[in-house]
């Protein structure tokens, strides 16, 4: 099977993105899935994140999360997220996929659609043009949308940050902004069911991990159980 990222799924790696609101458990579940995949007879695994994942993109991340770009509006933010994504794709994601590795990425272009589009008010047509230019054919083979009540997610993020650490530019937005985000991610999943799967992120850590493993087994046979499973499913 040839995936959307343009590479052979099941016998090489795959491009898998994790999306959702604050504190949904993306970073935790990426670490768990990476450990699981590293114990399986499948392709090598790379974990990464957006904004970031490469030296230039990490520098852009600092400015975006500090909120210094906010005063220039959501379009300027979308352009900077895109600039970071271009470097990330060129220097990390595409080379890893070309080597046949699996890339697990914490946020990708659906976050631009949700944060700068649905919640930030940018025209979806504009964002879709930007996405086409920036992402090209390197679309995720699978996107896991970790869905959670935003009040619960924000409380988790706050508890993790600990006393005295200020909320970043996006965590500081009001609950209504985070509710729009949740709806936006669910709408993306509904519009692209062949790529996206919604995971109930309100379950326990272990239950979420098992739900993700079940989706992988169904959608990308071979990644968890070796190339023979992919051949059997073909
Ligand atoms: N952004 C954007 O606007 N446009 C874009 O195009 C892109 C991004 C790419 C990046 O922030 C920000 O950039 C982001 C969107 C915006 N908004 N913010 N803020 P980030 O990378 O710093 O943060 P994040 O992506 O929102 O992730 P997060 O807040 O770190 O959450 P998470 O990775 O989903 O959750 P976690 O760190 O795995 O878990 C949070 C805590 O909850 C932790 O203590 C866990 O142990 C706990 N947890 C996790 N799962 C569970 C369960 N199931 N039960 C109980 N407790 C749990």
């Amino acid at each position: 099977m040839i995936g959307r990222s343009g590479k052979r799924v099941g016998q090489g790696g795959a491009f898998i993105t994790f999306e959702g609101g604050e504190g949904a458990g993306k970073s935790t579940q990426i670490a768990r899935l990476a450990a699981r995949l590293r114990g399986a007879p499948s392709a090598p695994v790379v974990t990464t994140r957006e904004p970031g994942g490469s030296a230039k993109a990490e520098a852009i991340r600092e400015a975006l999360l500090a909120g210094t770009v906010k005063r220039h509006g959501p379009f300027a933010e979308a352009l900077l997220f895109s600039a970071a994504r271009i470097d990330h794709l060129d220097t990390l994601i595409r080379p890893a996929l070309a080597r046949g590795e699996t890339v697990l990425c914490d946020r990708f272009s659906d976050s631009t659609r949700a944060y700068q589009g649905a919640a930030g008010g940018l025209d979806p047509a504009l964002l879709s043009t930007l996405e086409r230019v920036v992402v090209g054919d390197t679309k995720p083979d699978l996107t896991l949308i970790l869905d959670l009540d935003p009040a619960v997610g924000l409380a988790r993020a706050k508890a993790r940050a600990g006393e005295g650490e200020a909320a970043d530019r996006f965590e500081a937005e009001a609950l209504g902004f985070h509710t729009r985000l949740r709806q936006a991610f669910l709408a993306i999943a509904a519009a692209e069911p062949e790529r996206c799967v919604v995971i109930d992120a309100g379950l326990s850590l272990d239950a979420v991990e098992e739900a993700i493993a079940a989706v992988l087994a169904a959608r990308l046979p071979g990644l968890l159980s070796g190339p023979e499973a992919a051949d059997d499913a073909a």
Side-chain angles (χ1 to χ4, degrees):
M1 176 175 36
I2 303 295
R4 282 179 196 79
S5 55
K7 56 179 315 308
R8 210 168 159 69
V9 171
Q11 305 203 327
F15 182 24
I16 303 174
T17 57
F18 285 66
E19 299 278 6
E22 323 294 314
K26 299 177 297 301
S27 323
T28 308
Q29 294 300 335
I30 283 178
R32 285 180 173 225
L33 180 58
R36 209 179 253 253
L37 288 170
R38 282 174 186 134
S42 53
V45 179
V46 178
T47 63
T48 187
R49 67 173 181 184
E50 288 212 348
S54 63
K56 285 179 193 156
E58 288 290 335
I60 296 173
R61 174 188 176 93
E62 244 175 73
L64 281 163
L65 295 198
T68 47
V69 189
K70 185 182 178 186
R71 67 177 183 277
H72 299 296
F75 188 43
E77 286 187 318
L79 291 177
L80 273 181
F81 279 112
S82 298
R85 186 162 300 135
I86 287 168
D87 192 62
H88 188 206
L89 279 162
D90 284 350
T91 63
L92 189 147
I93 296 175
R94 289 189 184 116
L97 293 173
R99 288 191 299 269
E101 298 175 6
T102 288
V103 177
L104 306 182
C105 188
D106 191 339
R107 298 194 180 281
F108 193 61
S109 48
D110 294 318
S111 281
T112 311
R113 294 191 203 175
Y115 278 78
Q116 283 66 54
L122 281 188
D123 178 5
L126 172 78
L127 286 180
S128 127
T129 304
L130 192 58
E131 184 177 313
R132 207 167 45 247
V133 172
V134 171
V135 173
D137 290 337
T138 317
K139 297 188 179 115
D141 297 300
L142 174 67
T143 296
L144 297 158
I145 296 187
L146 271 55
D147 178 56
L148 184 64
D149 178 339
V152 176
L154 287 168
R156 280 187 192 168
K158 204 169 168 187
R160 181 200 47 194
E163 300 272 326
E165 194 174 319
D168 72 29
R169 180 254 176 275
F170 295 99
E171 284 165 1
E173 291 282 354
L175 193 58
F177 179 92
H178 294 282
T179 302
R180 288 201 295 284
L181 282 176
R182 182 186 198 185
Q183 289 159 352
F185 282 122
L186 291 175
I188 290 169
E192 295 184 55
E194 69 293 345
R195 172 174 69 87
C196 303
V197 178
V198 177
I199 303 284
D200 180 354
L203 302 174
S204 72
L205 284 166
D206 288 348
V208 176
E209 180 182 344
E210 289 309 321
I212 289 172
V215 170
L216 248 76
R219 295 282 182 118
L220 299 170
L223 273 195
L224 281 170
S225 45
E228 294 77 20
D231 291 342
D232 293 347

